[in-house]
Amino acid sequence: CPVTHPRTLDSMELDAILEALSPVFRFTPVLWRTIDDQEEKIKRLTSDQVRLLEMLRNQERAAIEGVAGSGKTILAVAQAQRFAREGRRTLLVCYNRLLADWLRSQMPEKYQSAITTVNYHVLVREMCRLTKLSFPASSSDQQFWEYDAPELLERATDLAPQENLYDAIVV
């Protein structure tokens, strides 16, 4: 067995060894904590939002407008839960599928049977299926979703059996 003699490491090899053996510390927020903080902010109603919900109690219809992040979604969820507590079968509709999925996953169990949470595209498709109306669209057909889908949804609603309709709708 031949004897090998130790050799001197060059500076690149030494740096590579030091880098591999030296711990690297980075202070970054834990992702789950950041998400928890954001969800907690979403779930809290401000005093203005509580007052607005009280005003909505006596309104059959209302339109709430606001910029992104102003609390429209939290108001919608709170109103849907109020309707459910009153014993109304409630439909909660949003445009974005991912938001609908998230809202459904965050809905307390006691409301899950009373509140149907769905995005607009699924609502139109399901109402057409229920009423056997032709549903000619793809999810990328912007023309259809802006102009034809609202009329199709209205026709489907007119044809739908009463037991498939809702007592309250929050969009």
Side-chain angles (χ1 to χ4, degrees):
C1 179
V3 176
T4 58
H5 299 286
R7 69 175 181 86
T8 305
L9 299 174
D10 64 35
S11 64
M12 284 182 57
E13 292 169 320
L14 281 173
D15 286 345
I17 291 171
L18 282 174
E19 187 175 319
L21 297 175
S22 298
V24 175
F25 293 102
R26 289 190 187 109
F27 293 102
T28 56
V30 179
L31 182 59
W32 63 266
R33 187 67 199 142
T34 303
I35 292 170
D36 283 349
D37 290 345
Q38 291 301 317
E39 286 181 1
E40 192 57 39
K41 287 177 186 174
I42 288 172
K43 291 177 185 174
R44 272 192 305 243
L45 287 174
T46 67
S47 58
D48 288 342
Q49 289 169 323
V50 170
R51 280 196 307 279
L52 183 58
L53 279 175
E54 284 306 310
M55 183 195 79
L56 291 176
R57 182 179 297 278
N58 299 318
Q59 301 295 318
E60 188 172 314
R61 292 177 186 223
I64 308 299
E65 294 180 354
V67 298
S70 63
K72 298 179 301 294
T73 300
I74 192 168
L75 282 172
V77 170
Q79 185 64 31
Q81 290 177 355
R82 172 185 279 168
F83 286 146
R85 279 192 304 277
E86 293 171 356
R88 298 183 192 189
R89 189 163 169 251
T90 303
L91 176 64
L92 176 59
V93 182
C94 62
Y95 195 75
N96 181 298
R97 180 184 58 82
L98 293 176
L99 178 58
D101 292 345
W102 184 82
L103 289 172
R104 199 175 311 106
S105 75
Q106 297 301 304
M107 191 65 65
E109 191 173 322
K110 66 182 179 180
Y111 296 117
Q112 289 186 2
S113 63
I115 300 173
T116 301
T117 305
V118 66
N119 72 309
Y120 175 67
H121 303 78
V122 169
L123 176 64
V124 174
R125 186 183 70 233
E126 289 303 306
M127 288 299 289
C128 287
R129 183 191 57 74
L130 175 71
T131 57
K132 299 185 181 5
L133 288 175
S134 174
F135 183 75
S138 72
S139 60
S140 62
D141 187 351
Q142 196 61 33
Q143 177 80 15
F144 170 82
W145 291 111
E146 286 184 29
Y147 300 102
D148 300 331
E151 289 180 20
L152 193 55
L153 180 58
E154 187 174 0
R155 282 194 5 235
T157 302
D158 289 341
L159 295 171
Q162 188 65 34
E163 65 267 12
N164 293 106
L165 299 179
Y166 293 87
D167 303 316
I169 301 172
V170 179
V171 180

